[in-house]
Amino acid sequence: MANRLQDKVAVITGGASGIGGATARLFVAEGARVIVADRQEPVDGDLAALIVSSPDRVKFVKTDVTREEEVRAAVAAAVSAWGKVTSVVACAGVPGQGSDIDLSEDEWDRIFAVNAKGVFFLTKHAVPEMIKAGGGSVTNISSAYGVVGAPGFAAYCGSKGAVRTFTKSTAIEHAAQGVRANSIHPGVVETPMLHGIFEGTPDPEATRAAFSAQQPNGFNGTPEDIAWGCVYLASDEARFVNGVELPIDGGLLAR
């Protein structure tokens, strides 16, 4: 089906690369208008070219999701350009490594500021615009590690678990106002964030093998694998889908 997101207006945080970049590209391809909100200029080459060639369909707004005013401004940019907001995808995230007895307070706060508070800010400022528009869809990218634990990722697991249940709260809070909220829980996906984890270890290839070994299907996902889930959840096909946690993980959580 083409134009599954016709007449939708979306704000995608963390949209410069990885899952966010792929989601932005697919949303535009399916007919949506998109604000790409990120701290960095798009490093996804196809997306960067699309922003230059189609400014009437996709725009970049520099945004640090830990700063409420910048998230508010990204949402306002969508309303200013296209009159409404109907969809958001919270993709901004940081990995962060360390056990529960090794993490510093500053590192814990840094990870939660991006992974959890950033989701809160986007919801806080986008949902009122969705209500004005007659309804909308919130999609928050959590993680398989937001459902199960993992050694060495205490704050990451905690922050992604927070996204999981915060999303359900949003779903119940605003269901009667036509706003749906769902979370996606990726498995091992080949993104710049994942590559950064590999490169930060003494033996990147061994770390890659250890991560890949978690995948029952024998291979890692791509950003597009997750982005198609975002397209579905934002589309009218998902009008009866609310408060769901959707694993797109190659079977990781089925173990």
Side-chain angles (χ1 to χ4, degrees), residues 52 61 78-79 104 121 166-167 233:
V52 172
V61 176
V79 176
S104 68
F121 285 156
F166 175 78
T167 304
L233 290 175

PDB file of all heavy atoms in Angstrom, residues 52 61 78-79 104 121 166-167 233:
ATOM      1  N   VAL A  52      17.021  18.412   1.595  1.00  0.00           N
ATOM      2  CA  VAL A  52      17.400  19.451   0.643  1.00  0.00           C
ATOM      3  C   VAL A  52      16.424  19.515  -0.528  1.00  0.00           C
ATOM      4  O   VAL A  52      16.010  20.597  -0.956  1.00  0.00           O
ATOM      5  CB  VAL A  52      18.831  19.205   0.127  1.00  0.00           C
ATOM      6  CG1 VAL A  52      19.164  20.161  -1.010  1.00  0.00           C
ATOM      7  CG2 VAL A  52      19.836  19.365   1.266  1.00  0.00           C
ATOM      8  N   VAL A  61      15.068  20.191  12.548  1.00  0.00           N
ATOM      9  CA  VAL A  61      15.083  21.150  13.652  1.00  0.00           C
ATOM     10  C   VAL A  61      16.069  20.630  14.695  1.00  0.00           C
ATOM     11  O   VAL A  61      15.873  19.546  15.251  1.00  0.00           O
ATOM     12  CB  VAL A  61      13.684  21.322  14.283  1.00  0.00           C
ATOM     13  CG1 VAL A  61      13.759  22.247  15.496  1.00  0.00           C
ATOM     14  CG2 VAL A  61      12.685  21.852  13.260  1.00  0.00           C
ATOM     15  N   ALA A  78       6.406  21.932  13.559  1.00  0.00           N
ATOM     16  CA  ALA A  78       5.493  21.135  12.741  1.00  0.00           C
ATOM     17  C   ALA A  78       4.153  21.845  12.590  1.00  0.00           C
ATOM     18  O   ALA A  78       3.579  21.902  11.493  1.00  0.00           O
ATOM     19  CB  ALA A  78       5.297  19.761  13.369  1.00  0.00           C
ATOM     20  N   VAL A  79       3.654  22.398  13.683  1.00  0.00           N
ATOM     21  CA  VAL A  79       2.375  23.111  13.640  1.00  0.00           C
ATOM     22  C   VAL A  79       2.484  24.344  12.750  1.00  0.00           C
ATOM     23  O   VAL A  79       1.585  24.650  11.952  1.00  0.00           O
ATOM     24  CB  VAL A  79       1.923  23.500  15.058  1.00  0.00           C
ATOM     25  CG1 VAL A  79       0.644  24.330  15.005  1.00  0.00           C
ATOM     26  CG2 VAL A  79       1.713  22.252  15.916  1.00  0.00           C
ATOM     27  N   SER A 104      27.946   5.836  38.115  1.00  0.00           N
ATOM     28  CA  SER A 104      27.921   7.079  38.878  1.00  0.00           C
ATOM     29  C   SER A 104      26.527   7.692  38.789  1.00  0.00           C
ATOM     30  O   SER A 104      25.742   7.378  37.883  1.00  0.00           O
ATOM     31  CB  SER A 104      28.942   8.074  38.325  1.00  0.00           C
ATOM     32  OG  SER A 104      28.537   8.518  37.038  1.00  0.00           O
ATOM     33  N   PHE A 121       8.984  14.618  27.518  1.00  0.00           N
ATOM     34  CA  PHE A 121       8.850  15.953  26.930  1.00  0.00           C
ATOM     35  C   PHE A 121       8.107  15.897  25.592  1.00  0.00           C
ATOM     36  O   PHE A 121       7.253  16.745  25.307  1.00  0.00           O
ATOM     37  CB  PHE A 121      10.217  16.595  26.725  1.00  0.00           C
ATOM     38  CG  PHE A 121      10.878  17.093  27.988  1.00  0.00           C
ATOM     39  CD1 PHE A 121      12.260  17.234  28.046  1.00  0.00           C
ATOM     40  CD2 PHE A 121      10.136  17.436  29.104  1.00  0.00           C
ATOM     41  CE1 PHE A 121      12.886  17.701  29.188  1.00  0.00           C
ATOM     42  CE2 PHE A 121      10.744  17.909  30.260  1.00  0.00           C
ATOM     43  CZ  PHE A 121      12.130  18.041  30.300  1.00  0.00           C
ATOM     44  N   PHE A 166       5.572   3.963  30.903  1.00  0.00           N
ATOM     45  CA  PHE A 166       5.092   5.327  30.661  1.00  0.00           C
ATOM     46  C   PHE A 166       4.182   5.341  29.439  1.00  0.00           C
ATOM     47  O   PHE A 166       3.150   6.031  29.423  1.00  0.00           O
ATOM     48  CB  PHE A 166       6.273   6.271  30.460  1.00  0.00           C
ATOM     49  CG  PHE A 166       5.873   7.675  30.080  1.00  0.00           C
ATOM     50  CD1 PHE A 166       5.398   8.562  31.040  1.00  0.00           C
ATOM     51  CD2 PHE A 166       5.964   8.110  28.767  1.00  0.00           C
ATOM     52  CE1 PHE A 166       5.020   9.866  30.690  1.00  0.00           C
ATOM     53  CE2 PHE A 166       5.598   9.397  28.408  1.00  0.00           C
ATOM     54  CZ  PHE A 166       5.120  10.282  29.377  1.00  0.00           C
ATOM     55  N   THR A 167       4.544   4.586  28.418  1.00  0.00           N
ATOM     56  CA  THR A 167       3.740   4.525  27.195  1.00  0.00           C
ATOM     57  C   THR A 167       2.344   3.987  27.490  1.00  0.00           C
ATOM     58  O   THR A 167       1.340   4.490  26.963  1.00  0.00           O
ATOM     59  CB  THR A 167       4.429   3.651  26.142  1.00  0.00           C
ATOM     60  OG1 THR A 167       5.744   4.158  25.889  1.00  0.00           O
ATOM     61  CG2 THR A 167       3.639   3.622  24.847  1.00  0.00           C
ATOM     62  N   LEU A 233       2.196   1.561  13.132  1.00  0.00           N
ATOM     63  CA  LEU A 233       1.561   2.107  14.332  1.00  0.00           C
ATOM     64  C   LEU A 233       1.027   3.515  14.116  1.00  0.00           C
ATOM     65  O   LEU A 233       0.053   3.917  14.771  1.00  0.00           O
ATOM     66  CB  LEU A 233       2.533   2.075  15.505  1.00  0.00           C
ATOM     67  CG  LEU A 233       2.858   0.686  16.056  1.00  0.00           C
ATOM     68  CD1 LEU A 233       3.928   0.769  17.131  1.00  0.00           C
ATOM     69  CD2 LEU A 233       1.604  -0.001  16.596  1.00  0.00           C
TER      70      LEU A 233
END
